[in-house]
Amino acid sequence: MISYKRTTLPEPLITEDEIQKKVNELALQISSDYATRELVVVCVLKGAWVFMADLVRRLSLPVRCDFVRLRSYQGTETTGKVEMLLDTTSDLEGKDLLIVEDIVDTGITMDYLLSHMQKRGVRSVEVCALLDKPSRRVVDLEIRYVGFTIPDKFIVGYGLDFDEKFRNLPYIGVV
Ligand code: IMP
Ligand code: MG
């Protein structure tokens, strides 16, 4: 267990071991589902970067990796308006896309990204979210791969932040 200087540690919700076990399960499933496909894994920055790094290293497939950066949050509040700060750079035409996201909350971010990607001539788009907070959903979404379904709490760690803090925490905790 790490110790953090100058701050109190968030209350653990999901341990490092539980996360790693889940990432293994997701990677096995994805490797089997996409065995014969041309998979492009798209990481939603910044929150999904830690999850993405762990997930792709467990896939037993040759995959391409690309990145988008979206912003909708300020502090712990969603603004309801999504901004794209960075788009993918690879040719996505005819490819099978897997969007890797840290958490789906209201669903507004993912809804925006899915319609953006569907206009790019891709063969398919699916979503892999480490965390799902279904109680706050305002748009209807199909998430093909979900790690953990969690209650309506603001969580940090394993890539997720509160005002840019705690992204480097190895477990998932509640602030
Ligand atoms: P949505 O558009 O409401 O679904 O929000 C999705 C984005 O908000 C995620 O990609 C996260 O970056 C961020 N987010 C939502 N809930 C949390 C949380 O509990 N902790 C940290 N970030 C969150
Ligand atoms: Mg995010």
Side-chain angles (χ1 to χ4, degrees):
M1 172 54 105
I2 59 153
S3 80
Y4 249 41
K5 298 188 198 325
R6 308 195 306 267
T7 186
T8 37
L9 282 169
E11 184 74 28
L13 182 68
I14 307 171
T15 66
E16 262 186 275
D17 279 359
E18 288 167 332
I19 297 169
Q20 294 311 322
K21 218 186 259 167
K22 188 63 77 174
V23 175
N24 278 334
E25 287 170 23
L26 290 169
L28 267 176
Q29 188 62 52
I30 294 164
S31 299
S32 133
D33 293 351
Y34 288 90
T36 59
R37 312 273 204 93
E38 286 240 34
L39 184 60
V40 181
V41 188
V42 178
C43 175
V44 185
L45 294 171
K46 297 181 192 172
W49 124 82
V50 178
F51 175 40
M52 168 87 162
D54 280 350
L55 184 71
V56 294
R57 283 180 293 170
R58 286 172 175 78
L59 294 177
S60 48
L61 299 171
V63 297
R64 288 164 217 233
C65 300
D66 213 324
F67 301 85
V68 294
R69 184 157 172 209
L70 301 171
R71 183 169 58 194
S72 64
Y73 264 70
Q74 276 169 350
T76 60
E77 294 301 317
T78 177
T79 62
K81 212 180 110 244
V82 185
E83 275 177 276
M84 181 166 260
L85 306 177
L86 173 80
D87 202 349
T88 50
T89 54
S90 41
D91 180 15
L92 300 181
E93 197 162 332
K95 302 291 193 302
D96 290 292
L97 254 58
L98 181 65
I99 299 175
V100 175
E101 177 60 304
D102 51 0
I103 183 167
V104 179
D105 184 22
T106 63
I108 293 169
T109 305
M110 195 45 70
D111 188 49
Y112 169 94
L113 189 56
L114 284 170
S115 42
H116 177 81
M117 290 305 176
Q118 274 149 5
K119 292 177 202 143
R120 310 273 292 270
V122 296
R123 184 173 181 272
S124 69
V125 195
E126 298 291 350
V127 179
C128 175
L130 180 66
L131 303 154
D132 184 15
K133 241 194 243 179
S135 58
R136 301 229 318 153
R137 200 76 96 252
V138 300
V139 288
D140 206 23
L141 280 181
E142 198 199 313
I143 311 175
R144 175 90 173 265
Y145 308 96
V146 175
F148 303 93
T149 301
I150 59 163
D152 183 13
K153 293 204 165 110
F154 198 83
I155 51 121
V156 294
Y158 199 67
L160 291 104
D161 74 306
F162 168 59
D163 267 346
E164 292 304 324
K165 290 190 288 280
F166 301 118
R167 288 198 196 275
N168 64 323
L169 209 61
Y171 66 93
I172 290 169
V174 181
V175 279

